[in-house]
Amino acid sequence: PVLHLLAQHAGVEAALVTVVHPWTSDQVTVDGAGGIGDRRLGRGARQNVIPCASSLAQAVALAMPSLSGKVGCVRFCVPTPAVAAVDITVRLERTAGLAWLYGALEALAAQHPTVLGVVREELVSSDFVGDGRSCVVDATAGLQLSEHLLKVVIWADAEWAFAQRCLDTVALVAASDRNPLNQLTKRASESILNLAKAGGK
């Protein structure tokens, strides 16, 4: 939502994204042989900050073709069990500022409170464990070098938020009258939602 909003209202000349990600299931707990084509993935996840490949730039280009070739990304896996931090440094085509951006994001978050948020408290990663929002912008951590050059910091419990978006999709399908398999799909979707509610977090 941050890049989309900036692209719409200020134009994005270029953006560099750093994702600080908790360890993942394809990492090892002690130093080993490593993955094919990436020896660093063979280093112990609990002892190291590990640079990893990221497909975020390609995903952004698919979702927002206007940003194709304008976004680069690096990812570091760190020894924490949950919650990612995303650092976006963006150069804008037209003037804007963090004050404007945070205000616009707060207005957007008011319309979509389960997906987006802006926090103005000094929080850390563990404060966001179990937070179902896909994007929580940290208004205390951003930087503005000029009206064209901004740094925005985002928190996300990515796996939990992804699960919530899956449930949102299931609920949308269950409520749809246009689905040709509506009755069967609706019953299956309702069953999934009931199981999720029964299981809680």
Side-chain angles (χ1 to χ4, degrees):
V2 173
L3 283 174
H4 179 69
L5 188 65
L6 287 171
Q8 277 191 323
H9 296 279
V12 171
E13 184 180 312
L16 292 174
V17 182
T18 301
V19 179
V20 182
H21 200 283
W23 57 45
T24 60
S25 60
D26 61 347
Q27 291 183 261
V28 296
T29 54
V30 296
D31 285 352
I36 297 172
D38 192 346
R39 293 184 61 189
R40 287 185 289 205
L41 283 179
R43 305 300 299 275
R46 296 185 65 182
Q47 301 87 17
N48 297 289
V49 174
I50 302 176
C52 303
S54 173
S55 59
L56 186 140
Q58 294 93 318
V60 168
L62 285 172
M64 293 178 280
S66 65
L67 295 182
S68 181
K70 295 182 177 182
V71 178
C73 181
V74 294
R75 179 171 66 112
F76 295 92
C77 287
V78 299
T80 58
V83 182
V86 181
D87 171 324
I88 303 173
T89 300
V90 59
R91 182 178 291 280
L92 303 174
E93 294 172 350
R94 298 181 294 279
T95 58
L98 284 178
W100 169 82
L101 177 62
Y102 293 153
L105 286 169
E106 283 174 328
L108 195 58
Q111 300 172 41
H112 306 282
T114 61
V115 178
L116 175 65
V118 178
V119 294
R120 295 182 180 271
E121 303 168 72
E122 295 180 340
L123 302 176
V124 298
S125 60
S126 62
D127 295 320
F128 297 95
V129 173
D131 192 317
R133 293 172 293 183
S134 296
C135 174
V136 183
V137 177
D138 190 333
T140 70
L143 294 173
Q144 177 175 327
L145 193 60
S146 72
E147 290 187 332
H148 289 273
L149 186 59
L150 310 177
K151 180 184 287 292
V152 183
V153 176
I154 297 165
W155 298 101
D157 187 343
E159 287 73 23
W160 183 251
F162 179 77
Q164 298 308 301
R165 301 295 78 77
C166 288
L167 289 175
D168 291 346
T169 303
V170 168
L172 190 64
V173 170
S176 173
D177 293 326
R178 297 183 181 180
N179 191 327
L181 301 173
N182 190 51
Q183 293 306 313
L184 176 62
T185 305
K186 190 168 184 177
R187 286 197 299 272
S189 299
E190 287 171 347
S191 297
I192 293 169
L193 288 172
N194 289 334
L195 284 170
K197 288 175 184 174
K201 279 194 175 185

